[in-house]
Amino acid sequence: MTPGRCPFSVASPIVLASGPAGFGTELAERTDLSAIGALTTKTVTPQPREGNPQPRLVDCPCGMINSIGLENPGFDVFVERCLPDVLSLPTRHIISVAAERPEELARMVGALSAIEGIDAIEINLSCPNVDAVVIGSDRALVGRFTEAARGATERPLLIKLPGDAGHVVASAEAALDAGADGLTLINSIRGLRIDHRVGRPMLHRETGGLSGPAILPIALARVFEARKAFPDALIVGTGGVTDLESAIEMMAAGADLVGVGYGMMANPQLPTQLARRLEAWLAERRLDSVKEVIGVAHRGGFDVP
Ligand code: RRO
């Protein structure tokens, strides 16, 4: 199927969000990736990064906070040693990259552009675990980074923006004006937990990114606002989707594709289960296509007898 504005066909609108699935190879041993729409790889950066010191994961009611800190082997090692395995996985491949400078971003995107089998490139401008300014919160920076990436590839380009920093529709407009094909909304939301017994932050880095059902309403609002402002943009809605109902909500808000991240950490089978349940639900409701669901909240909802 080709949901909404997606430039390539997918087995399902359910996709794996960047992060928890890593580069997908371990997950592939435990679940059928051909049933899901796409795998988005963990973000890679120009240089290798060790990530933040432990502890860097903490539970929350309705979610968790991570401060992984962009741990990755670096772009060159990723391309040489990991990417061939990623591209052999039986699903669509969205490769996530981040950089501190537009020139570095252009180098990575240009190199990816020359490799067959990459279906889209996601530019992560919204990692909450960096000391520098979150690029996605500043529309001028979003424009500059998107322009650099656009100049280096003709592949579908997604810009991943934060849900909680700056004016998301303004940043989205800057990305689309600079030539992005679509938006991934949203990243995790900056959060904090304190160990009440000792009165200190529970994560070594203090704050981190909150994900899980706790952020679903925030993600829905950003997707809804972006869909209203940009009827033709491809939107990947990510944030707190853990069941069929929340996946339908995300599509109704305007998402063409629905990213699952947190939900697959507890249950690696969740994305394939969701893909199956969505298909069964569409058949049960006698909906011919997911296009009838995507953005339905902007069109007065379903005709419910
Ligand atoms: O690695 C991380 O700390 C991280 C990244 Br790159 C991101 O985009 N979102 C997140 O919650 N954690």
Side-chain angles (χ1 to χ4, degrees), residues 67 176 181:
S67 64
L176 296 168
D181 299 281

Side-chain angles (χ1 to χ4, degrees), residues 13 23 58 70 83 106 134 148 153 186 198 215 220 241 244 265 279 287 291:
F23 299 143
V58 60
L70 280 151
L83 190 54
V134 175
T153 189
I186 57 174
V198 295
I215 71 167
L220 287 170
V241 170
L244 173 65
M265 292 180 71
E279 211 170 298
L287 294 166
K291 289 176 188 161

Side-chain angles (χ1 to χ4, degrees), residues 42-43 66-71 124 126-129 160 187-188 209:
K42 167 94 185 121
T43 302
N66 84 82
S67 64
I68 304 297
L70 280 151
E71 179 180 351
N124 186 353
S126 48
C127 175
N129 297 321
K160 186 165 187 177
N187 211 312
S188 57

Side-chain angles (χ1 to χ4, degrees), residues 20 32 38 58 67 73 75 80 105 145 152 164 175 177 179 204 206 217 227 238 266 287 302-303 305:
D32 175 17
V58 60
S67 64
F75 183 75
E80 198 178 313
L105 185 64
F145 277 75
D164 57 343
D177 284 352
H204 185 277
E206 299 174 348
R227 175 55 71 216
T238 298
L287 294 166
F302 298 119
D303 285 332

Side-chain angles (χ1 to χ4, degrees), residues 68-210:
I68 304 297
L70 280 151
E71 179 180 351
N72 78 94
F75 183 75
D76 295 338
V77 170
F78 168 74
V79 168
E80 198 178 313
R81 302 207 199 132
C82 312
L83 190 54
D85 289 338
V86 170
L87 297 179
S88 74
L89 298 173
T91 185
R92 295 289 186 181
H93 312 100
I94 304 175
I95 307 301
S96 171
V97 291
E100 289 171 9
R101 284 185 289 276
E103 315 81 75
E104 294 173 324
L105 185 64
R107 174 181 85 82
M108 293 191 290
V109 169
L112 292 175
S113 200
I115 298 168
E116 282 303 307
I118 294 173
D119 299 290
I121 302 170
E122 181 173 278
I123 312 298
N124 186 353
L125 300 185
S126 48
C127 175
N129 297 321
V130 291
D131 294 328
V133 64
V134 175
I135 295 164
S137 66
D138 178 325
R139 59 168 305 156
L141 288 177
V142 171
R144 231 173 288 151
F145 277 75
T146 307
E147 218 168 84
R150 182 73 291 166
T153 189
E154 292 184 0
R155 298 276 168 93
L157 205 55
L158 290 162
I159 306 297
K160 186 165 187 177
L161 294 173
D164 57 343
H167 187 325
V168 176
V169 169
S171 289
E173 184 175 45
L176 296 168
D177 284 352
D181 299 281
L183 310 163
T184 302
L185 301 169
I186 57 174
N187 211 312
S188 57
I189 301 281
R190 192 171 300 227
L192 172 73
R193 289 222 76 188
I194 291 175
D195 184 336
H196 71 279
R197 294 163 304 183
V198 295
R200 285 194 298 269
M202 291 170 97
L203 294 171
H204 185 277
R205 191 178 186 274
E206 299 174 348
T207 62
L210 172 64

